[in-house]
Amino acid sequence: MSETGVRDSLDELKTAAKSSIAEASSLSELADIETTYLGRKGQLTQLLRGVGELPPEERPTFGRLVNEARAGLEQALADRRAALAETEGAQRLRAEALDVTLPGRFYTVGRQHPLSATMDRIKRIFLGLGYEIVDSPEIERYHYNFESLNYPEEHPAMDEQMSFYVTDDLLLRTQTTAVQARIMESRQPPLRICTMGRCYRSDEVDATHSHTFHQVDCFAVDEDITFADLKGTLYNFAREMFGPDTQVRFRPDYFPFVEPGAEVAITCVICGGEGCGVCKSTGWLELGGAGMIHPNVFRQVGIDPEQYSGFAFGLGIDRMPMMMYRIDDLRLFLENDIRFLRQV
Ligand SMILES: [Zn+2]
């Protein structure tokens, strides 16, 4: 190759390289261009290898020209790289920019259902009074729900109109009291047992009635248990639950599984007994039923009523948060309206 030929090749190469560099639109493209011209097997390097074909006197000049071309291209690459880096950096900054004025995402925190919170409080109080908390099935045998509790035949509660029967022998328990015989037939006194949970009755649904409701049932069996023990226990519970000034009222009532039986009421938690809309001006709120366990209940499970006595009471749970939080509609507990559930 003649000197002119080689020089022309060098000029062409420089022109092509510079225009590629100018057109490169990214840093990675630029890196490829660098390899193509200046790399170990690049075009400029190849050209330099051709120096041997030139006459010896022309070699130094050509070598200088190649080195100048290399320096020129390296400079052009560096300039373009700097320009691109600036643009790409600016683009990335723009793309990754944080808008600190955007409102944050709010994560909602779960809360206990008012009924669960109430049941937890009840549980703590009876655990503190020495009771054992047990579970009892919601689908209960007819025997435990009624028969073992001394229900007379033809009692209206046993009617299919009043209760949800699954089969002739199985029904959704109508009261947590069903736990009594289950425990007493397998264990011996002394017993201090408490259970709570859902109960079901075929009731018209309105603001104060539901087919599904919650009860807590406790009973104690030992020698020499008296009605005074029952009263003391319920006084303790009521004051822990509703405040130290709470009074408890017992009025005679009938339940097949107790004798004597009583209706339990507390002084109104809203007006303190003065009379208000919540207590319908009576000053009292009914909580449930109580009494001394009927000897027939003991006999059925093989506990001697001459040796042992016991008391039992069952309280409606749903009314407690209704009174405490002034909730006027029972249906709210089951409807799962998040606006309601968040308040408590
Ligand atoms: Zn009141």
Side-chain angles (χ1 to χ4, degrees):
M1 206 191 289
S2 73
E3 191 191 346
T4 325
V6 174
R7 279 193 184 170
D8 287 349
S9 305
L10 185 61
D11 285 342
E12 274 168 32
L13 192 146
K14 271 161 67 179
T15 311
K18 285 196 169 163
S19 90
S20 298
I21 291 168
E23 282 163 19
S25 60
S26 72
L27 288 173
S28 64
E29 208 178 307
L30 212 55
D32 289 343
I33 294 169
E34 185 168 21
T35 312
T36 307
Y37 291 102
L38 304 181
R40 212 155 48 80
K41 292 179 181 172
Q43 293 182 22
L44 196 68
T45 318
Q46 302 285 354
L47 206 62
L48 194 58
R49 285 198 186 123
V51 79
E53 294 167 25
L54 290 173
E57 66 280 15
E58 289 173 11
R59 288 178 195 168
T61 315
F62 181 70
R64 184 173 49 80
L65 287 173
V66 171
N67 283 333
E68 275 173 16
R70 171 178 285 275
L73 288 183
E74 278 172 351
Q75 185 58 48
L77 278 165
D79 291 348
R80 185 71 188 141
R81 188 174 288 122
L84 280 176
E86 203 169 297
T87 319
E88 283 189 13
Q91 272 169 357
R92 188 176 325 112
L93 271 182
R94 252 200 315 282
E96 296 175 1
L98 295 176
D99 182 354
V100 292
T101 64
L102 273 179
R105 292 193 184 94
F106 290 96
Y107 293 95
T108 45
V109 178
R111 290 183 196 207
Q112 242 188 336
H113 190 281
L115 278 172
S116 308
T118 306
M119 286 197 263
D120 279 356
R121 278 188 65 191
I122 296 172
K123 213 176 277 184
R124 277 198 295 276
I125 294 171
F126 285 116
L127 280 171
L129 289 171
Y131 281 77
E132 178 189 345
I133 314 285
V134 300
D135 274 331
S136 196
E138 286 181 31
I139 298 174
E140 186 54 280
R141 290 190 47 206
Y142 174 85
H143 170 74
Y144 292 118
N145 198 85
F146 293 123
E147 215 168 29
S148 69
L149 291 171
N150 197 38
Y151 273 77
E153 276 176 47
E154 306 302 323
H155 190 283
M158 288 142 65
D159 197 293
E160 285 183 24
Q161 303 296 316
M162 304 279 287
S163 310
F164 295 111
Y165 280 86
V166 180
T167 66
D168 281 350
D169 185 43
L170 289 173
L171 73 158
L172 300 183
R173 68 176 172 195
T174 63
Q175 49 191 355
T176 41
T177 321
V179 75
Q180 275 187 29
R182 278 188 170 275
I183 297 289
M184 287 197 279
E185 70 184 9
S186 60
R187 288 157 67 168
Q188 285 300 304
L191 295 168
R192 277 164 186 75
I193 303 290
C194 187
T195 195
M196 62 185 77
R198 288 191 192 92
C199 300
Y200 306 86
R201 283 179 204 175
S202 183
D203 219 340
E204 286 293 325
V205 176
D206 64 25
T208 53
H209 296 87
S210 176
H211 44 72
T212 305
F213 55 98
H214 300 74
Q215 279 189 339
V216 50
D217 244 87
C218 297
F219 66 94
V221 182
D222 205 345
E223 293 179 355
D224 301 323
I225 289 214
T226 67
F227 204 94
D229 297 313
L230 168 62
K231 288 173 84 172
T233 303
L234 282 169
Y235 266 109
N236 259 297
F237 168 73
R239 284 170 188 169
E240 280 282 320
M241 191 74 189
F242 303 105
D245 298 326
T246 310
Q247 298 294 314
V248 184
R249 184 186 70 183
F250 295 84
R251 292 205 301 199
D253 201 350
Y254 167 76
F255 303 99
F257 39 93
V258 285
E259 178 59 36
E263 166 221 282
V264 182
I266 55 163
T267 39
C268 176
V269 293
I270 305 297
C271 64
E274 299 284 313
C276 69
V278 174
C279 58
K280 297 193 178 76
S281 305
T282 62
W284 295 95
L285 296 167
E286 208 183 306
L287 271 195
M292 301 306 289
I293 296 175
H294 200 289
N296 286 349
V297 174
F298 282 140
R299 283 190 199 102
Q300 280 202 60
V301 292
I303 290 177
D304 180 3
E306 300 297 321
Q307 185 187 355
Y308 292 105
S309 56
F311 65 73
F313 57 86
L315 311 176
I317 292 176
D318 309 73
R319 289 201 68 186
M320 298 180 190
M322 287 181 83
M323 297 182 305
M324 291 190 285
Y325 306 124
R326 294 208 194 200
I327 297 162
D328 56 8
D329 196 326
L330 187 64
R331 289 169 289 198
L332 286 164
F333 287 137
L334 295 174
E335 281 169 357
N336 286 331
D337 184 332
I338 203 83
R339 293 166 302 177
F340 165 75
L341 296 173
R342 271 199 195 130
Q343 294 182 95
V344 179

